[in-house]
Amino acid sequence: MRSLTIACVSTAIFALALALAAPARQITGDAVPNRYGAALVRCGGGFDLSRVDWIAAQHEVPYWAHRNRAGATVSVFGPAPAMIGAIALADFGDGDTIDDATLRARERLAAAVLVAIAAGLVVLAV
């Protein structure tokens, strides 16, 4: 059991280090709904992206969004990326501001931790 625990923890640490060491890439427009969705989830606003002023001001729905049956503008990627992104904004509340570099650092850390947990669970499953 001890060797299994050591293998699980070391795999998780290795995965975390790799995820954090990987070079950061420029984000695309596809990341926008997930970033705003995460902020909306954290601020208790649900998944309706039309709460974001510049999205609501557009006459057409952006290519990375669609209207659901309730008429809300939501991400085509579904709610999961926004919920995962909300982990990075755990201390974020309605009316708070955050600069882009800090947000990207938080997103990166949250993603790296999730990769490390997944790697550890894979070792446990094997």
Side-chain angles (χ1 to χ4, degrees):
M1 183 65 176
R2 181 182 166 106
S3 61
L4 182 62
T5 304
I6 291 171
C8 179
V9 170
S10 57
T11 302
I13 291 170
F14 182 70
L16 182 67
L18 279 180
L20 291 174
R25 295 185 192 153
Q26 186 66 30
I27 64 167
T28 67
D30 292 343
V32 171
N34 302 326
R35 299 179 104 206
Y36 280 112
L40 290 173
V41 169
R42 284 298 310 141
C43 296
F47 297 104
D48 189 356
L49 294 170
S50 64
R51 288 190 63 213
V52 179
D53 294 342
W54 67 267
I55 295 174
Q58 293 185 9
H59 295 288
E60 293 183 20
V61 177
Y63 75 92
W64 39 256
H66 68 96
R67 295 210 194 282
N68 65 10
R69 291 182 181 151
T73 303
V74 296
S75 169
V76 295
F77 306 109
M83 292 188 306
I84 292 169
I87 295 169
L89 301 172
D91 61 338
F92 197 72
D94 207 1
D96 290 344
T97 59
I98 188 169
D99 65 89
D100 193 59
T102 304
L103 179 58
R104 291 207 57 203
R106 286 177 173 215
E107 291 169 340
R108 187 178 177 91
L109 180 60
V113 168
L114 291 173
V115 166
I117 291 170
L121 290 174
V122 166
V123 169
L124 284 176
V126 174

